[in-house]
Amino acid sequence: MFFEYGKHGAEGLSHNPFKNLVVPRPIGWISTLSPDGVANLAPYSFFNGVADAPPIVFFATNGRSRAAGLKDSQGNAEATGEFVVNLATWELRHQMSASSAPFPPEVDEFAAVGLTPAPSRLVNPPRVAESPVQLECRYLRTVE
């Protein structure tokens, strides 16, 4: 089968197959703090490490939301210079799925989905205490 991005209807496909082609993909559960101190937590399936010396990770927000504004995770990371990548596990799949809802910016997703925010050691955003792996990160740059 040949697939050309943006023309999936022409091949009789109901959905863009790209997300199903690059697997397995870990889920990077990005936690941030707004400049006002509100905790934000959102899952990103387009997340991964891209270098190890120095260690660099990325997450892709896949566009804009809220009337063409930045998604909360991206906006918070850019504004504060910090974020945490928490790995979602099979045991946390229900909370991870619930955290993908389009909560308003003033809602603390940790509280909304029943997770425990744990203090980070190197950055201000909280970690997901239930996650076995957390990467405390400093924002480097946004690539459009």
Side-chain angles (χ1 to χ4, degrees):
M1 171 176 69
F2 175 80
F3 172 76
E4 185 177 348
Y5 182 79
K7 297 184 179 183
H8 59 274
E11 286 93 12
L13 302 172
S14 60
H15 293 81
N16 178 341
F18 182 75
K19 289 183 181 180
N20 297 319
L21 297 174
V22 181
V23 292
R25 279 192 326 271
I27 303 295
W29 219 350
I30 309 302
S31 55
T32 60
L33 281 178
S34 72
D36 297 329
V38 178
N40 177 265
L41 182 66
Y44 286 86
S45 65
F46 288 107
F47 142 80
N48 221 314
V50 294
D52 70 343
I56 298 174
V57 298
F58 84 95
F59 66 96
T61 62
N62 290 330
R64 299 181 178 271
S65 68
R66 292 197 176 78
L70 293 178
K71 292 189 176 183
D72 295 338
S73 300
Q74 179 183 349
N76 292 344
E78 289 176 352
T80 66
E82 300 176 330
F83 63 97
V84 178
V85 176
N86 307 271
L87 290 187
T89 63
W90 178 253
E91 294 75 23
L92 296 170
R93 69 192 178 280
H94 300 296
Q95 293 96 325
M96 185 274 304
S97 182
S99 71
S100 69
F103 292 103
E106 65 275 6
V107 172
D108 177 337
E109 282 94 345
F110 282 87
V113 302
L115 290 167
T116 309
S120 294
R121 294 182 182 193
L122 303 174
V123 297
N124 289 314
R127 300 174 293 117
V128 175
E130 292 83 358
S131 173
V133 176
Q134 304 101 6
L135 306 172
E136 298 182 17
C137 303
R138 301 223 186 266
Y139 168 78
L140 183 61
R141 75 173 56 103
T142 296
V143 178
E144 294 283 336

